[in-house]
Amino acid sequence: MGTAFTCSTHLYAHQFLQLLMLLLLLPLRNVSDMHVKAQLSSSFYETSCPTVATVVEDVVRQAVEAEARMAASLLRLHFHDCFVHGCDGSVLLDDTATVIGEKTAPPNNNSIRGLEVVDEIKSAVEAVCYGTVSCADILALAAKASVVQVGGPSWMVLLGRRDATSPATIAEVSAALPSPFSDMPTIISSFAALGLNVEDTVALSGGHTIGQARCVTFKPRLYNFSGTGAPDPTIDPDFLASLQGTCPEDGDANTLQSLDVTTPDTFDIGYYNNLQINKGLLLSDQELISDGNTTSLAALYASNESAFFLAFAQSMVNMGNISPLTGSDGEIRLNCHVINSA
Ligand code: HEM
Ligand SMILES: *[C@@H]1O[C@H](CO)[C@@H](O)[C@H](O)[C@H]1NC(C)=O
Ligand SMILES: *[C@@H]1O[C@H](CO)[C@@H](O)[C@H](O)[C@H]1NC(C)=O
Ligand SMILES: *[C@@H]1O[C@H](CO)[C@@H](O)[C@H](O)[C@H]1NC(C)=O
Ligand SMILES: *[C@@H]1O[C@H](CO)[C@@H](O)[C@H](O)[C@H]1NC(C)=O
């Protein structure tokens, strides 16, 4: 009797502790776990291609030394790959006569860059580990190597993605990729649709601390904001004048402007500091400081580089976890431009 009592008390205590731990751990679990089919792993190529990360880093270093903007272009490729149909290398597939796919969909056409560097990386990787490393994993490794190369944080890249055998359609690309003209609730919901939360949204927007954007992506803010016939009243007046000089109303839509106007080639908190003084370039950037869900995180990252770097690294892992093909799904493409059976 006494023993049974002690035993069941012990059991209760044990179960109670388990429940308590579960409750404590639940909020820490990232929602993007729900989208993971099988677990990616940082040691995936440990025996099959132990030098893959070094090979990628070497090519990225040379490319970024030759042109600083390449770091930005490679980071964005991984983002565009992951947001459309998951991180499956589909953004790299060339259009065929029958399929007009991701590469030429409006957000990518005349916009994504770095494809020739990805080809260089793929050749270098194939030379040491033939038919082993996916194009999707190359994009994930190149994104991290790029961020590190321009002064940003490092993180453990999870690997084991396989490549898609078909591109996404234009409609799927436009539906999945956030628009620079969207307000913050719309941006937040496009991240949420992929299992990424508000913190991921604010941290990953910090990718705009490097790289360039074409006039066409922010021109309405300069001349006819939301159909008002006037500029966006929130833009800093000096910054507005400078942007109007770079992008005249009837000027070239493809003229480039730095996303981070102060330190465009360095991965730092310049982007968030510019937002604080109304010098954000895209509407989707500037709204981070005025939306109630994002104001305080944007202010935190503007004041604390370690907080931003930690959050960005974690959110890159979360983004890299979006719907990967694993196991025997998909394939290891030999040429990132075409599926193997083509
Ligand atoms: C929050 C939603 C986002 C919107 C609306 C957005 C929109 C844009 C736009 C319009 C451009 C310029 C494209 C052009 O001129 O053709 C751009 C560039 C860029 N984006 Fe984003 N983006 C977003 C999120 C992200 C994320 C999550 C990352 C990566 C973590 C990222 C990284 C970049 C980089 C690095 C560039 C510059 C690329 C280069 O210079 O080649 N963006 N983005
Ligand atoms: C992509 O851009 C080129 C011109 O640069 C244009 O001819 C082509 O129609 C565009 N493709 C799509 C699918 O919009
Ligand atoms: C501004 O845009 C609105 C709707 O988009 C349009 O009706 C209006 O004519 C434009 N105004 C100017 C001054 O271009
Ligand atoms: C956060 O976003 C949700 C959904 O758009 C909205 O209902 C809520 O009011 C926002 N909270 C704040 C503090 O702005
Ligand atoms: C900055 O953020 C880091 C990481 O979250 C934290 O450890 C540190 O205490 C913060 N520093 C300040 C001054 O708040």
Side-chain angles (χ1 to χ4, degrees):
M1 200 51 192
T3 315
F5 181 73
T6 318
C7 182
S8 73
T9 311
H10 175 77
L11 258 180
Y12 270 120
H14 187 68
Q15 281 166 344
F16 177 76
L17 273 176
Q18 274 189 336
L19 186 71
L20 193 71
M21 281 182 62
L22 195 69
L23 285 172
L24 284 171
L25 287 173
L26 266 178
L28 297 177
R29 275 183 39 129
N30 196 286
V31 274
S32 64
D33 287 354
M34 294 185 301
H35 295 258
V36 180
K37 279 192 203 163
Q39 210 56 48
L40 301 175
S41 148
S42 59
S43 59
F44 189 80
Y45 297 111
E46 201 169 72
T47 51
S48 60
C49 194
T51 59
V52 63
T54 320
V55 172
V56 174
E57 281 155 22
D58 285 347
V59 180
V60 168
R61 186 182 319 110
Q62 284 167 34
V64 173
E65 274 166 11
E67 188 206 11
R69 187 189 174 192
M70 192 49 69
S73 305
L74 292 171
L75 170 61
R76 186 167 181 243
L77 272 183
H78 181 47
F79 157 53
H80 280 207
D81 185 32
C82 290
F83 263 55
V84 183
H85 269 197
C87 317
D88 62 358
S90 59
V91 71
L92 302 173
L93 285 174
D94 287 342
D95 286 0
T96 65
T98 47
V99 188
I100 312 283
E102 279 186 68
K103 224 181 220 178
T104 51
N108 290 332
N109 199 23
N110 305 313
S111 183
I112 51 170
R113 304 172 74 249
L115 298 164
E116 60 300 322
V117 176
V118 174
D119 289 342
E120 250 184 85
I121 299 172
K122 181 65 171 169
S123 312
V125 170
E126 289 305 298
V128 290
C129 312
Y130 182 76
T132 306
V133 180
S134 66
C135 300
D137 278 348
I138 283 176
L139 291 182
L141 287 166
K144 189 211 73 172
S146 295
V147 168
V148 170
Q149 185 65 24
V150 293
S154 188
W155 59 92
M156 292 266 259
V157 182
L158 300 184
L159 299 164
R161 300 171 190 80
R162 290 166 64 84
D163 296 322
T165 50
S166 62
T169 64
I170 286 185
E172 286 169 325
V173 177
S174 304
L177 286 175
S179 156
F181 310 120
S182 289
D183 61 10
M184 199 43 62
T186 310
I187 299 281
I188 291 172
S189 34
S190 56
F191 278 68
L194 299 165
L196 298 174
N197 64 21
V198 170
E199 190 176 2
D200 295 315
T201 308
V202 182
L204 290 171
S205 294
H208 290 174
T209 183
I210 51 173
Q212 314 262 306
R214 295 169 301 152
C215 290
V216 67
T217 63
F218 55 90
K219 210 186 255 184
R221 296 189 75 206
L222 310 183
Y223 300 102
N224 191 355
F225 178 62
S226 294
T228 57
D232 182 342
T234 67
I235 306 177
D236 169 84
D238 293 336
F239 188 48
L240 174 64
S242 152
L243 293 179
Q244 286 175 333
T246 307
C247 305
E249 190 159 14
D250 50 6
D252 186 348
N254 294 318
T255 303
L256 295 171
Q257 165 69 37
S258 296
L259 281 154
D260 170 352
V261 67
T262 47
T263 51
D265 295 331
T266 311
F267 199 99
D268 57 13
I269 52 176
Y271 167 80
Y272 295 102
N273 279 304
N274 294 333
L275 299 183
Q276 298 301 320
I277 52 171
N278 299 314
K279 292 184 176 180
L281 187 62
L282 309 176
L283 178 66
S284 54
D285 294 323
Q286 192 57 57
E287 283 228 336
L288 285 171
I289 69 154
S290 49
D291 183 280
N293 280 297
T294 55
T295 308
S296 59
L297 277 174
L300 171 68
Y301 300 153
S303 68
N304 187 331
E305 185 183 79
S306 311
F308 168 49
F309 278 12
L310 268 174
F312 186 81
Q314 180 58 57
S315 292
M316 284 298 290
V317 173
N318 296 343
M319 185 175 85
N321 275 339
I322 298 172
S323 306
L325 296 169
T326 54
S328 57
D329 289 346
E331 63 183 15
I332 303 300
R333 225 177 278 154
L334 290 175
N335 171 352
C336 294
H337 291 255
V338 290
I339 62 174
N340 290 341
S341 62

